[in-house]
Amino acid sequence: MARGAKQIDGQLSFDFCLDTRNYVVQANALIGGKQALKLNSAKLIRSAIMQVVRDDEELKPYIVTINELSELLNVPASNIYRDIEDITDDIIKNPVYIRETKDGKTIRFIKIPWVAWCEYKADVGVVVKLNEKLKPFLVSLRKNYTQYTLQEVLAMKSIYAIRIFEILQSNMMNVSVLKKGVHVILSVQELRECCACEEKYPAFGNFKSKVIDRAVNEINRVTYYNVTFTYQKNGRAVVAIDFFIVSRFQGKHV
C-alpha cells in the first residue's frame, strides 16, 4: 500500500498505516524481554512495529498526527497534546532488555533502546523511527515469532494485560486453541521481569490482584480467549502460574 511521505530534518518519513486489523509481529525474544513502558507509550511502540514490513531493508521513520494518535489510543486529542512529551520521553528513557539464555537459564539481559528517533513536531505530529538494533527481532522473521492484530492491544486498559497477552501468545503460536484449550505455565519470576514488577508489589497477593487478575480480566474482555489460572507452589510459596486458555470461537486459533 502506497503511503505519503515527507522530508523531515532531511530524512524521508512515511505516514502511519492506521488499519488496526494489521498484525504486530515480533520475535519471541523481544516479547520475552524486560519492558517498563507505560500504557500509551507501549501502544505507540506497537503501532510503530505494525508499520514494519517483513522484508524491509531498514527500519523507516513514520509520522502519526495528534488526531490520528488520539483515534488509535482512544484518548481525547487534548490529552495527547498534554501528554505527548511524557510519552516520547518514556519511550526514549525506557529501553527493552533482551533476555540471553544458556541451557534454558537466563544469564544476562541486553539493553536496546526502542527508538533511534521519537519526537513531537508541532507542524507534522509524532515522528517515530525504531532502533535498527531491533531489526533482527522485527524483520524477515521465519520462526520463533508472535503476531496479533494491533486492535487487540489498543483495546486494553492495562500495560500488564498487554505484556501477559503477548507472553501467552508467544507460547501458543503453534497451537490451535480450540474447545479443549491449552496450558501455558510461566514462573512468577518471569512474569515479574516481563511486567517490570521485580520490585513492585512484593507481596504475592498484591501482585496477583494488581497484575495477574487485571491482565486476565482484560484479555478475557477484548480477545477471543477465555483465560483462567491456577498456582504451582513450592511449599507455601507460589512459584509459577498455570494459565489455561480456551478459544471462545470454534476454529479460531493463533
Side-chain angles (χ1 to χ4, degrees):
M1 180 183 297
R3 300 185 188 178
K6 302 178 181 69
Q7 285 284 343
I8 299 177
D9 293 350
Q11 188 166 17
L12 193 63
S13 301
F14 297 84
D15 292 338
F16 252 48
C17 169
L18 301 173
D19 187 348
T20 60
R21 297 169 298 178
N22 288 336
Y23 285 106
V24 179
V25 183
Q26 306 171 70
N28 291 343
L30 181 59
I31 285 176
K34 292 185 185 180
Q35 300 184 22
L37 293 176
K38 297 176 183 176
L39 180 61
N40 285 334
S41 309
K43 289 181 177 181
L44 178 53
I45 284 294
R46 271 71 179 173
S47 300
I49 290 173
M50 190 194 76
Q51 312 304 315
V52 177
V53 177
R54 172 181 281 187
D55 297 322
D56 276 349
E57 294 183 0
E58 62 180 0
L59 298 177
K60 304 178 181 70
Y62 290 95
I63 312 159
V64 59
T65 69
I66 294 296
N67 286 337
E68 290 169 341
L69 190 55
S70 168
E71 182 178 345
L72 282 173
L73 301 181
N74 194 26
V75 172
S78 58
N79 289 14
I80 301 294
Y81 280 113
R82 180 195 66 200
D83 297 336
I84 193 59
E85 295 295 345
D86 290 337
I87 291 172
T88 56
D89 284 350
D90 185 44
I91 289 171
I92 290 170
K93 293 176 181 178
N94 285 294
V96 59
Y97 292 80
I98 305 295
R99 187 187 308 269
E100 185 174 307
T101 61
K102 184 176 182 181
D103 299 327
K105 296 182 179 180
T106 300
I107 57 174
R108 65 169 180 158
F109 287 91
I110 302 170
K111 180 169 64 175
I112 302 178
W114 282 108
V115 293
W117 186 13
C118 186
E119 183 179 5
Y120 169 59
K121 290 182 169 290
D123 55 338
V124 293
V126 183
V127 185
V128 182
K129 183 181 187 300
L130 295 168
N131 189 342
E132 280 292 315
K133 290 186 180 296
L134 292 178
K135 186 175 173 181
F137 305 100
L138 301 174
V139 174
S140 299
L141 302 177
R142 297 292 187 268
K143 61 181 180 178
N144 298 324
Y145 68 88
T146 296
Q147 64 181 27
Y148 54 80
T149 59
L150 179 63
Q151 62 191 359
E152 292 176 279
V153 296
L154 290 182
M156 293 179 179
K157 298 178 180 179
S158 163
I159 182 59
Y160 304 132
I162 292 176
R163 293 297 293 128
I164 290 179
F165 171 68
E166 289 181 330
I167 298 162
L168 293 177
Q169 280 282 82
S170 71
N171 282 273
M172 295 191 297
M173 281 303 294
N174 295 317
V175 178
S176 293
V177 184
L178 304 178
K179 287 185 177 179
K180 64 181 181 180
V182 63
H183 289 270
V184 174
I185 299 172
L186 300 169
S187 72
V188 171
Q189 179 64 25
E190 179 181 357
L191 286 167
R192 284 189 176 277
E193 289 171 349
C194 291
C195 292
C197 288
E198 293 165 285
E199 306 298 331
K200 292 176 69 175
Y201 315 125
F204 178 79
N206 286 341
F207 180 68
K208 173 185 175 295
S209 63
K210 300 291 188 181
V211 178
I212 300 172
D213 287 343
R214 189 172 181 188
V216 167
N217 289 339
E218 283 289 288
I219 292 168
N220 290 342
R221 182 179 68 85
V222 305
T223 74
Y224 287 126
Y225 301 134
N226 183 69
V227 180
T228 56
F229 61 88
T230 56
Y231 303 138
Q232 291 190 349
K233 294 185 175 182
N234 183 0
R236 298 179 63 182
V238 177
V239 295
I241 306 295
D242 183 347
F243 294 94
F244 183 64
I245 304 102
V246 179
S247 173
R248 290 200 293 265
F249 297 90
Q250 180 71 28
K252 292 290 183 182
H253 60 85
V254 290

